[in-house]
């Protein structure tokens, strides 16, 4: 094992384990990464886009750089190079989670406030419950109530005009959570690479697809990005991807899906607060009602008897 591994904080690259022996400290760190760090990435994306980066170019650079760093570190630590099947599985999940799931967020934030985007992404546990049913575990009565209330929340959010500015943004925010939830459930059924190498393959391949989309869309930098945009991109690479996305992959492998996706009802509150106090965003009364409905619905889902 290379000596470089001793210089990487264990919190950044959690050690692999099973659910039974997952340490309480690792669990708390992963939940902090998913709740607080991912909640703050909506504002970081807003600043990157506002500072001159096109959306798909930004996402491609973010994930290719983060994935390459993680891949190199893992190789130096003795991880085997993934097989062709594992790279293929990583590319498929990377497409579902990052390109479609996260790409919808990046695309929509050109027109929709970051707090509103986070609220819609809060529907991920609803879709996760649905896809779990399609794979053999249908939701119970409380979970069905949660699904119904959540859908009502999404309708209220749209009726309240928080998402009515651009129909393509609305469509993206409907498709994105669907793709993320499906990919999160399906990842356990594919021949993924070992441990965090799975995360690296997803980020590298997903980032490469983003760059292809960026090239096809004719994206380019029209001006030099602002210092805040560059710092925000660095934050997304290091904390949003290397730390938080790695933590999400770890939770999917070692914890219940309900716990792994529980970040989705904490992120909106973090994003709304940061967007309000640091970016001058606002949320209408309908938006707050919708947030309460969506958060209440996912609360029912995560508390329901499994």
């Amino acid at each position: 094992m290379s000596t470089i591994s001793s210089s990487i904080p264990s919190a950044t690259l959690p050690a692999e384990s099973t659910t039974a022996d997952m340490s309480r400290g690792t669990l708390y760190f992963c939940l902090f990464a998913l709740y607080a760090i991912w909640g703050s990435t909506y504002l970081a994306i807003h600043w990157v886009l506002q500072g001159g980066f096109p959306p798909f170019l930004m996402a491609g650079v973010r994930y290719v750089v983060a994935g390459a760093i993680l891949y190199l570190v893992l190789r130096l630590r003795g991880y085997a190079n993934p097989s062709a099947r594992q790279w293929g599985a990583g590319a498929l999940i990377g497409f579902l989670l990052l390109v479609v799931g996260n790409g919808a967020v990046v695309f929509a934030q050109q027109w929709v406030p970051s707090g509103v985007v986070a609220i819609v992404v809060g529907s991920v546990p609803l879709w996760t419950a649905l896809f779990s049913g399609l794979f053999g575990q249908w939701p119970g009565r409380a979970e069905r109530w949660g699904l119904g209330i959540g859908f009502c929340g999404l309708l209220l959010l749209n009726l309240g005009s928080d998402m009515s500015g651009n129909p393509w943004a609305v469509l993206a925010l409907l498709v994105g959570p669907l793709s993320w939830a499906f990919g999160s459930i399906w990842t356990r059924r594919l021949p993924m690479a070992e441990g965090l190498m799975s995360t690296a393959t997803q980020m590298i391949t997903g980032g490469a697809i983003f760059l292809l989309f960026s090239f096809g869309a004719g994206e380019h930098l029209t001006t030099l990005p602002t210092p805040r945009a560059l710092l925000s991109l660095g934050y997304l690479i290091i904390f949003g991807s290397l730390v938080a996305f790695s933590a999400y992959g770890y939770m999917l492998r070692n914890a219940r899906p309900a716990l792994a996706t529980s970040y989705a009802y904490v992120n909106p509150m973090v994003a709304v607060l940061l967007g309000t106090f640091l970016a001058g965003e606002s949320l209408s009364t309908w938006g707050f009602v919708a947030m309460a409905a969506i958060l209440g619905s996912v609360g029912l889902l995560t508390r329901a008897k499994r």
Side-chain angles (χ1 to χ4, degrees):
M1 182 178 295
S2 170
T3 55
I4 195 172
S5 63
S6 62
S7 65
I8 303 296
S10 60
T12 302
L13 299 176
E16 298 301 321
S17 65
T18 63
T19 305
D21 61 15
M22 185 194 303
S23 70
R24 188 177 297 272
T26 300
L27 174 63
Y28 286 162
F29 173 80
C30 289
L31 290 176
F32 170 79
L34 298 184
Y35 290 175
I37 295 177
W38 257 1
S40 66
T41 57
Y42 293 92
L43 180 60
I45 291 172
H46 170 80
W47 280 339
V48 173
L49 297 177
Q50 190 180 62
F53 276 97
F56 298 137
L57 177 61
M58 177 272 288
V61 171
R62 169 187 176 182
Y63 288 115
V64 166
V65 172
I69 292 173
L70 182 58
Y71 174 82
L72 291 174
V73 170
L74 293 175
R75 289 287 285 152
L76 289 171
R77 294 183 65 177
Y79 276 65
N81 187 45
S83 66
R85 287 189 68 202
Q86 290 171 332
W87 275 107
L92 180 56
I93 297 301
F95 177 78
L96 291 171
L97 293 185
L98 302 180
V99 179
V100 182
N102 187 253
V105 170
V106 174
F107 175 77
Q109 279 196 235
Q110 297 176 94
W111 302 279
V112 181
S114 59
V116 175
V117 173
I119 292 171
V120 178
V121 175
S123 66
V124 164
L126 312 177
W127 299 116
T128 301
L130 176 61
F131 288 127
S132 294
L134 294 177
F135 279 105
Q137 185 180 0
W138 287 103
R141 179 178 299 177
E143 291 172 311
R144 289 197 296 270
W145 272 104
L147 286 169
I149 295 172
F151 280 121
C152 290
L154 293 178
L155 291 175
L156 285 174
L157 191 60
N158 191 32
L159 291 174
S161 298
D162 284 306
M163 289 173 50
S164 59
N166 186 295
W168 291 109
V170 174
L171 178 62
L173 288 178
L174 292 176
V175 173
L178 272 166
S179 181
W180 185 279
F182 181 70
S184 297
I185 293 297
W186 204 15
T187 187
R188 294 191 176 192
R189 294 166 170 81
L190 293 176
M192 307 299 295
E194 176 188 358
L196 288 172
M197 187 60 82
S198 169
T199 303
T201 61
Q202 293 170 45
M203 289 196 292
I204 291 172
T205 55
I209 297 172
F210 266 126
L211 292 179
L212 288 175
F213 280 0
S214 176
F215 177 78
E219 289 185 344
H220 60 278
L221 292 173
T222 58
T223 184
L224 185 66
T226 65
R228 185 169 68 176
L230 293 172
L231 288 173
S232 297
L233 180 59
Y235 179 83
L236 290 172
I237 291 171
I238 296 172
F239 294 99
S241 298
L242 278 173
V243 177
F245 190 64
S246 295
Y248 183 63
Y250 178 84
M251 291 290 287
L252 285 178
R253 293 187 297 273
N254 297 283
R256 293 179 297 108
L259 184 60
T261 58
S262 62
Y263 72 88
Y265 62 89
V266 179
N267 285 177
M269 293 180 287
V270 175
V272 168
L273 290 174
L274 292 177
T276 300
F277 290 107
L278 298 180
E281 297 178 353
S282 61
L283 195 65
S284 70
T285 302
W286 282 112
F288 281 109
V289 173
M291 181 167 63
I294 293 175
L295 299 187
S297 69
V298 294
L300 282 172
L301 288 172
T302 54
R303 291 175 60 88
K305 185 177 180 179
R306 297 282 175 177

